[in-house]
């Protein structure tokens, strides 16, 4: 089966998504997500100018060979732009192979290892009371796992809390917004949020929290320790992961489980953290970590060390990534949880999909392929708009971590 064409579709139903569509001489097509929030057009160009010309004429069934060709053949390895582009090709080819087999993708990945994929939703509030109400809403919707974030008193911007609760960034702003951050105020506030949540709802639901890489290792150790009474499912990105030795320090101080890796793009980023058992959940997902093929390698390495998967699933990943991730999640033995932030209606309309929500779990659906399509005519109605994640500064103006 020959690849006869491929093209990149950039659309902004409410935020930007980059999709690669691959066509074959047998009439089968497949799509892959190539969205890299805030750097969308770089991946679009990487694909259009450098990858697509190398794909035409290749056998669409040779997924592994094409992956190696794009990874090794480029000479310049790794990095989010490169790996998102490779991921899009890989995802589209798995989609095509599954369609050719007439099977849902998870069947090609070994079949179901579980009945459904446990997901966590985002409960965000400007203050603790608002977050408690949001958690209540998620519990009523049937969620088993909920990420809770609340605004910090004394800080004008609300940490981890998004505009319209679905975005971290302005949908219409050409430049990033700048938020103010205070570690002291946050460290004082975060345990109060989880104290309020456990007093109100008890221990029946999994609670998660994202620190967005904002603490130093010793501060992260302190936070993890102060959250122990509330038995979190995980504390995410407590400190930036460039210096991975830092996680040893956190581990020495707390048994709160740690999740890291939404910004990782290869197994090499995750290898030391996994092998040294410095994390409990690996957050890499399909689009930023080289596709289904590479994510499986990361998960297999993680399994050796009892590290489980917790795929990134914010709304800056398109439904194409979500669909593919759900096939991965339902088949991978060492699954932990899947993030599901819910796309807007406009996004769901551009990307019709077979996956569905059922009482706190997601099901990938049983249509051949990964089950997500793109309505190109509708996509064309929403041109690209510059949009960026916010920048954070300390109260004295020092640039701080995301
Ligand atoms: O865990 C999350 O969902 C967040 O960290 C987002 O992924 C981040 O804002 C980038 O979109
Ligand atoms: Mg995160």
């Amino acid at each position: 089966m020959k690849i006869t064409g491929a093209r990149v579709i950039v659309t902004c139903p409410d935020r930007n998504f980059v999709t690669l569509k691959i066509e074959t001489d047998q009439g089968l097509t497949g799509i892959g997500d190539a969205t890299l929030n805030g750097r969308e057009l770089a991946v679009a160009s990487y694909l259009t100018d450098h990858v697509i010309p190398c794909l035409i004429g290749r056998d669409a069934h040779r997924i592994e060979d094409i992956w190696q060709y794009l990874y090794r053949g480029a000479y310049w390895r790794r990095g989010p732009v490169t790996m998102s582009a490779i991921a899009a090709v890989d995802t589209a080819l798995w989609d095509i192979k599954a369609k050719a087999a007439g099977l849902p993708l998870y069947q090609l990945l070994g079949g179901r290892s579980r009945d459904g994929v446990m997901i966590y939703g985002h409960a965000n509030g400007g203050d603790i009371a608002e977050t408690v109400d949001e958690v209540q809403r998620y519990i009523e919707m049937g969620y088993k796992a909920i990420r809770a974030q609340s605004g910090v008193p004394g800080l004008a911007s609300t940490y981890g809390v998004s505009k319209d609760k679905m975005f971290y960034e302005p949908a219409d702003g050409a430049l990033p917004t700048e938020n103010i951050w205070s570690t002291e105020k946050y460290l004082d506030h975060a345990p109060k949020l989880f104290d309020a949540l456990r007093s109100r709802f008890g221990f029946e639901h999994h609670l998660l929290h994202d620190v967005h890489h904002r603490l130093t290792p010793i501060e992260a150790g302190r936070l993890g320790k102060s959250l122990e009474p509330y038995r979190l499912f995980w504390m995410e990105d407590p400190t930036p992961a460039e210096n991975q030795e830092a996680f040893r320090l956190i581990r020495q101080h707390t048994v709160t489980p740690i999740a890291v890796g939404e910004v990782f793009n290869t197994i090499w980023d995750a290898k030391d953290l996994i092998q040294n058992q410095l994390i409990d959940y690996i957050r890499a997902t399909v689009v930023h970590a080289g596709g289904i093929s590479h994510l499986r390698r990361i998960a297999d390495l993680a399994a050796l060390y009892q590290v489980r998967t917790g795929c990134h699933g914010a709304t800056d990943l398109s439904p194409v990534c979500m669909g593919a991730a759900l096939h991965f999640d339902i088949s991978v033995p060492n699954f932990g949880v899947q993030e599901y932030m819910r796309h807007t209606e406009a996004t769901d309309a551009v990307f019709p999909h077979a996956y569905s929500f059922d009482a706190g779990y997601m099901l990938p659906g049983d249509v051949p392929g990964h089950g997500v399509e793109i309505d190109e005519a509708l996509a064309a109605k929403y041109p690209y708009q510059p949009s960026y994640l916010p920048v954070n500064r300390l109260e004295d103006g020092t640039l701080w971590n995301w």
Side-chain angles (χ1 to χ4, degrees):
M1 179 164 47
K2 272 205 166 65
I3 297 174
T4 50
R7 63 181 180 282
V8 175
I9 303 148
V10 180
T11 182
C12 186
D14 37 52
R15 55 192 309 160
N16 296 307
F17 298 110
V18 179
T19 308
L20 174 71
K21 185 165 196 171
I22 295 181
E23 293 163 342
T24 63
D25 61 358
Q26 297 188 11
L28 289 174
T29 63
I31 59 173
D33 185 18
T35 308
L36 184 61
N37 193 355
R39 297 293 183 270
E40 296 87 354
L41 300 183
V43 187
S45 159
Y46 191 103
L47 282 166
T48 303
D49 299 325
H50 306 295
V51 171
I52 289 174
C54 305
L55 287 179
I56 309 302
R58 282 179 197 280
D59 180 355
H61 276 306
R62 296 183 62 179
I63 300 177
E64 184 63 34
D65 184 66
I66 290 174
W67 196 98
Q68 298 295 339
Y69 179 86
L70 294 174
Y71 183 79
R72 295 166 195 264
Y75 187 77
W76 309 104
R77 299 183 184 190
R78 307 167 62 186
V81 174
T82 296
M83 297 311 290
S84 299
I86 294 178
V89 174
D90 185 81
T91 307
L93 293 178
W94 276 107
D95 192 24
I96 288 170
K97 193 185 279 292
K99 284 176 180 169
L103 292 169
L105 174 56
Y106 70 79
Q107 295 292 16
L108 272 55
L109 304 179
R112 287 193 293 117
S113 288
R114 56 197 51 79
D115 300 326
V117 173
M118 185 174 76
I119 49 157
Y120 71 89
H122 284 209
N124 299 328
D127 56 24
I128 290 178
E130 249 182 68
T131 305
V132 169
D133 288 349
E134 275 294 290
V135 168
Q136 168 92 49
R137 213 165 60 79
Y138 276 90
I139 289 173
E140 283 162 9
M141 285 190 277
Y143 279 73
K144 313 279 179 224
I146 302 151
R147 191 188 93 160
Q149 310 287 135
S150 133
V152 177
L155 293 183
S157 51
T158 47
Y159 157 72
V161 177
S162 47
K163 190 185 167 207
D164 302 330
K165 308 216 191 305
M166 301 287 277
F167 300 90
Y168 290 103
E169 61 270 50
D172 49 3
L175 290 174
T177 44
E178 301 213 352
N179 294 335
I180 301 298
W181 173 251
S182 158
T183 296
E184 294 75 18
K185 288 174 181 153
Y186 165 73
L187 283 179
D188 181 48
H189 185 67
K192 293 178 188 159
L193 168 64
F194 287 93
D195 191 53
L197 290 171
R198 286 307 190 196
S199 322
R200 171 78 178 272
F201 303 110
F203 284 80
E204 204 184 314
H205 298 87
H206 295 303
L207 293 180
L208 298 78
H209 184 64
D210 192 349
V211 188
H212 284 117
H213 330 258
R214 290 186 187 179
L215 301 177
T216 65
I218 198 68
E219 290 163 351
R222 201 172 113 207
L223 176 66
K225 204 169 182 175
S226 69
L227 293 176
E228 278 172 14
Y230 314 114
R231 303 205 293 270
L232 263 58
F233 186 90
W234 79 33
M235 168 172 80
E236 177 182 336
D237 288 329
T239 198
E242 285 99 324
N243 169 23
Q244 304 198 342
E245 271 297 304
F247 285 81
R248 215 177 278 284
L249 191 63
I250 305 175
R251 281 293 210 213
Q252 283 162 2
H253 293 283
T254 181
V255 292
T256 294
I258 299 172
V260 174
E262 68 182 39
V263 303
F264 289 176
N265 47 74
T266 67
I267 197 167
W268 301 102
D269 296 326
K271 175 179 156 288
D272 291 350
L273 283 178
I274 290 171
Q275 287 181 329
N276 294 315
Q277 295 181 283
L278 297 177
I279 58 171
D280 302 280
Y281 296 92
I282 178 70
R283 297 263 303 137
T285 191
V286 178
V287 56
H288 301 138
I292 295 276
S293 301
H294 196 66
L295 192 57
R296 291 178 89 193
R297 295 214 158 90
I298 297 175
D300 282 344
L301 175 69
L304 301 181
Y305 299 92
Q306 291 174 290
V307 173
R308 293 192 284 162
T309 66
C311 286
H312 188 198
T315 41
D316 54 356
L317 313 169
S318 93
V320 183
C321 176
M322 180 57 57
L326 289 169
H327 287 266
F328 166 79
D329 294 332
I330 207 154
S331 62
V332 70
N334 50 324
F335 169 77
V337 73
Q338 166 69 51
E339 181 181 18
Y340 178 52
M341 213 175 143
R342 284 187 301 144
H343 290 100
T344 61
E345 277 177 29
T347 298
D348 281 339
V350 171
F351 297 97
H353 50 261
Y355 60 78
S356 59
F357 175 85
D358 181 25
Y361 295 89
M362 296 290 285
L363 303 169
D366 277 311
V367 306
H370 56 46
V372 187
E373 297 296 336
I374 183 165
D375 179 336
E376 290 190 62
L378 192 55
K381 292 190 179 152
Y382 303 110
Y384 167 81
Q385 289 178 35
S387 176
Y388 297 97
L389 288 161
V391 167
N392 284 285
R393 292 185 186 277
L394 299 180
E395 287 166 297
D396 70 356
T398 304
L399 195 74
W400 199 240
N401 294 312
W402 198 108

